Every structure is written in C-alpha cells, then in structure tokens.
Amino acid sequence: MKTGDTPLRRFYPCIPGIVCSGTLYSTLVAAALTFTSLPAQAEHTCPENNDYLQREQAKTLIAELVSQGQDETRVRDVLGGAQCQPKILKSIARPAEHTHTWATYQKIFLQESRVQKGVEFAHTHADTLTRAEQTYGIPREIILAIIGVETRYGDHMGTYRVVDALTTLGYDYPPRGSFFRKQLKALFELEHNAHIDAESITGSYAGAMGYGQFIPTSYQAYAVDFDNDGVTDLVNNPVDAIGSVANYFSEHNWKPGLPVAARAHLDGAGYVPLAKKGYKPSFTLAQANNAGVSALSCNDDRLVSEYCFDLPASTRVALLDLTGTDGAEFWLATDNFYVITRYNHSRLYAMAVLQLSRQLAAALEDNQ
C-alpha cells in the first residue's frame, strides 16, 4: 500500500497506510484490513440511475484517458458495465479503528494457523525472500507479515471487481471521491501499460489488488518485476509481490537494523502528553525518559518480553497507549514502526505486522 497514495490497508490511509491493512473474507477481517484510520462518515447510498457514463466526472475521465492514447470504446465498455455496490458504501462508513482495539486485532491476526501458512510460504519462496532482503534491506519476516495480514498469503485477495469498487467510491462516496477517481484513472492506465484487465480484476472494497493489496497508484509507483519476465504481476506472481512489498518499504525509508518498538515502563503521569502526540516519532528517548517513560532494556536481567531495545538517547520515538488482551499496554515506537503505518495508516495494523513478524521469525528459526 503507498500513500501519498498509499496502501490503505492496505492502501489508503492504509489506509494502509493499514491495511491492512481489505480482503473481505469476513466482515470483521475486512474492517480490520482496510480504512482503519478514516473518520466515521454518514452513510451513502447507490443512486437509482446507475449509468456511470452519464456522470460529468466520468466524461472528464474518458476524455483524459483518450488523450493519453487509450481506446475510447474499451474505456466506455468498462465504465458502462460498472455497478455501484451498496456493501462497499456501508463498509467504508464503519472504519475499524473506531470499533476495534488492539485486543481484537490480536485475535484476528496473531493466529497459529496464519504463522504456519507463513512458514510454508517462506519455504516455497526462500530464494526470493533472500534476494529481497539483499536488494532492499527489508527483513523477510516483515515482508511475510505484510502479505500474511493483507491476504493470508494470497488466499483472500478480495472478491469485488476493482472497477466496481473504484466507481462506487469515486462517484458515490463524496468524502473521498477525488481520491478514488484518481485510483480509477490509474486502473485504466495499468490496463494500458501493465496488462491488467480493468473489467475483470478483483480485489478489496477499496480497490486494492494482489498478494500485498496495492491500490492502483501504489501499483504504478512501487510494483517491480522482481523475476524479470517482462510483466509486473502482483496478483498471480508471488515473486513480484515479494519484491514489490520490499520496494515499498525501502521507498518509505525503512532503516535496516533499527528495532521497531519496545515495551515501555512508566513512572508518574508525565507520559500523558507524549501519548497524545500520535504514532509518528516526534520526541527523543531522552525526552521520554525525562517524562518518566523508558524502554524495556534487552540487558535487563528481569526481562519478560522480547520487545526491548537499547538505543541512543537521541533516537526519535513515539509513545503508544494500547488496550490488549491483558489490559493497558505502553510501547515506545521508532521510525520503522511509522514506516509500517505508511502501508496502512493504523497503529493497530502496524502492531499486528510487528508481532506477526516476530512469531514468523521464531517459527522459521525453529523449522531450520
């Protein structure tokens, strides 16, 4: 997912950045995978007149695409066959971050069955994951966790026609209409340049596609032909998907070797203002310490968590206040945590990716 035009989940803000970070294989999982950071909106409905070709904005789109050299008859055929989907409008009106906590995310994503599926996927694509690590500097467990959260390793890529999703949201969901019309235009450009069938390809209700659930503009910006076969295919080719997820993280400034997050100790109430600053690192560890917040040290003999780090006092961090299955949790998160939220704009999504990645790394080590 990318944002500026990011994966909302997966790809719109994650929107992506969550997420899932949008596969819709169940109502709960679909909500958890996409649009986890959009504000609640009033519900919208499909109009009785469902002919998108009659919309003035659609006429503008057709003219723009034709001016780029696309076939007008093809564009009209695809747009003319698009259908407004009421379920999509209902789904986007209920973003997951407003209804779910870290405790519910844990139950959705941190499952043994998902870990085992990830281990199988990792063994099948071991050489590709090694090459992705070497090329982009992204740990294999992070790549695996993204694909696991997004589509359960390709098992659930979404069942909506992408053209239906993007026309529904582009023309019948005014709060984000301009964003999704941009995605619709990019879908046609992908058909023209990347051999994607705009009429038949399916994905999430947000229009995200493939193993990693890239929205069209993310596909254009970050997808790579990782097996060098001349086609960049994120839907049918897991090799390209692995390389593209790694490229996405690299382009969003993942820092190799930097820990993602550590559990935090609190002393007093000085943490409250820091917790209100959000998940983008905006203060240093030294400032956190002065406010009574310290990261769990990996050198602490009383260590009870693998989520620890010992970083320079100048390291930028953010303070997370989450409600997990065992109650309140406090975390200090680094810039790499923020990079994960560029894939899906949700701290819950990023925490799910982090913890699934740790489970995967441990399972892979056990299976060596």
Side-chain angles (χ1 to χ4, degrees), residues 8-242:
L8 289 156
R9 103 217 273 208
R10 240 35 32 297
F11 272 110
Y12 160 43
C14 35
I15 179 228
I18 165 141
V19 206
C20 315
S21 102
T23 60
L24 301 174
Y25 56 93
S26 76
T27 301
L28 182 57
V29 174
L33 288 178
T34 61
F35 288 138
T36 54
S37 62
L38 289 175
Q41 302 286 351
E43 287 193 19
H44 297 268
T45 58
C46 292
E48 292 184 8
N49 177 12
N50 198 37
D51 186 357
Y52 286 115
L53 291 177
Q54 300 306 312
R55 308 288 185 94
E56 290 302 318
Q57 291 168 322
K59 294 177 182 179
T60 299
L61 172 63
I62 293 170
E64 291 175 351
L65 292 170
V66 171
S67 72
Q68 294 177 355
Q70 297 203 35
D71 181 78
E72 182 173 356
T73 299
R74 171 61 176 172
V75 174
R76 287 185 172 277
D77 284 346
V78 176
L79 277 180
Q83 297 292 316
C84 183
Q85 299 291 337
K87 288 184 178 180
I88 289 176
L89 295 174
K90 290 181 179 179
S91 294
I92 198 173
R94 297 178 176 84
E97 182 120 303
H98 292 274
T99 58
H100 296 294
T101 66
W102 171 227
T104 59
Y105 258 62
Q106 288 177 283
K107 293 177 181 178
I108 294 169
F109 296 113
L110 304 183
Q111 310 155 324
E112 181 61 27
S113 60
R114 195 182 301 267
V115 173
Q116 290 306 313
K117 186 77 174 179
V119 169
E120 294 171 9
F121 186 87
H123 287 160
T124 301
H125 302 289
D127 291 344
T128 299
L129 287 162
T130 297
R131 187 158 58 90
E133 286 182 319
Q134 295 171 345
T135 302
Y136 298 107
I138 313 302
R140 68 181 57 208
E141 60 266 23
I142 291 291
I143 301 170
L144 288 167
I146 288 288
I147 296 175
V149 168
E150 291 293 340
T151 62
R152 205 177 178 93
Y153 306 99
D155 283 353
H156 304 287
M157 295 190 197
T159 58
Y160 285 106
R161 285 201 313 160
V162 173
V163 68
D164 289 342
L166 297 180
T167 51
T168 297
L169 296 172
Y171 298 118
D172 294 310
Y173 186 68
R176 296 299 299 172
S178 61
F179 175 84
F180 287 105
R181 289 193 296 274
K182 182 178 181 181
Q183 301 308 315
L184 181 61
K185 181 181 180 182
L187 175 66
F188 280 102
E189 292 168 347
L190 285 170
E191 177 173 76
H192 194 62
N193 300 319
H195 311 294
I196 284 177
D197 187 337
E199 187 173 24
S200 64
I201 190 169
T202 58
S204 76
Y205 76 70
M209 302 170 285
Y211 282 86
Q213 293 288 277
F214 277 36
I215 53 172
T217 53
S218 293
Y219 205 122
Q220 290 177 315
Y222 303 110
V224 295
D225 176 15
F226 205 49
D227 62 359
N228 298 309
D229 67 351
V231 178
T232 303
D233 183 359
L234 306 187
V235 178
N236 305 296
N237 189 341
V239 175
D240 286 354
I242 289 168

